[in-house]
Amino acid sequence: MDKNNDTVEQVKQWCKNTMIEHLGIEITEVGKNYLCGRMPVDQRTHQPMGLLHGGASVVLAESLASMGAALQVDLTKKACVGLEINANHMRGISSGWVYGKATPIHVGRSTQVWETKITNEAGDMICISRMTVAVIDKK
């Protein structure tokens, strides 16, 4: 079996019955140091003026970074929770898909920092986000 495909399927299971599934976000690839996904730009993710809602971009960024962080720890003993996220929105988009790739900047024992770049289908930067994650003991 292909371990990467197994991991993609595992992460897809985490998304069931969540905001991720509701917005149509799809996990497309999982690697040792990255996690990729895509999100439709449609009525679910638009703001009132018909453009991609900045909050939807943050949902994509936080989802990819959080799941990437979780893949770095033993989930029987640890949990990953978001501490802070920021996002800079560079360009508007009104239809199609946006693509996110989350990569770790720092993976430590108690914190992780992840960067997510979101692009359009042409590869133009739509948003860049940085998220700090706390790694905590499960109770």
Side-chain angles (χ1 to χ4, degrees):
M1 280 197 157
D2 183 356
K3 180 163 175 27
N4 186 48
N5 283 340
D6 291 346
T7 305
V8 169
E9 290 308 312
Q10 171 191 0
V11 172
K12 285 181 179 181
Q13 288 301 311
W14 293 346
C15 300
K16 294 249 185 244
N17 300 312
T18 67
M19 180 187 290
I20 298 164
E21 186 177 67
H22 178 72
L23 293 180
I25 295 170
E26 301 172 2
I27 303 307
T28 57
E29 191 176 351
V30 177
K32 183 176 173 44
N33 287 312
Y34 67 92
L35 196 135
C36 297
R38 69 182 195 155
M39 179 174 67
V41 181
D42 61 19
Q43 78 284 351
R44 294 171 289 183
T45 57
H46 279 164
Q47 42 94 310
M49 302 310 289
L51 294 172
L52 176 63
H53 195 294
S57 293
V58 175
V59 170
L60 175 59
E62 183 161 353
S63 299
L64 295 176
S66 293
M67 291 185 285
L71 290 170
Q72 307 302 311
V73 301
D74 177 352
L75 291 174
T76 65
K77 298 176 183 171
K78 300 288 184 180
C80 294
V81 295
L83 285 178
E84 186 271 344
I85 189 164
N86 69 49
N88 296 101
H89 307 289
M90 317 310 194
R91 175 187 309 260
I93 181 173
S94 59
S95 64
W97 290 85
V98 288
Y99 299 85
K101 182 174 184 176
T103 56
I105 295 170
H106 166 74
V107 177
R109 282 184 303 108
S110 60
T111 62
Q112 297 184 33
V113 179
W114 284 72
E115 176 182 79
T116 304
K117 292 180 179 176
I118 299 173
T119 59
N120 64 15
E121 294 174 85
D124 301 316
M125 184 76 69
I126 300 297
C127 176
I128 188 164
S129 174
R130 188 181 66 236
M131 181 176 176
T132 304
V133 177
V135 179
I136 60 173
D137 292 328
K138 282 195 170 174
K139 295 184 183 192

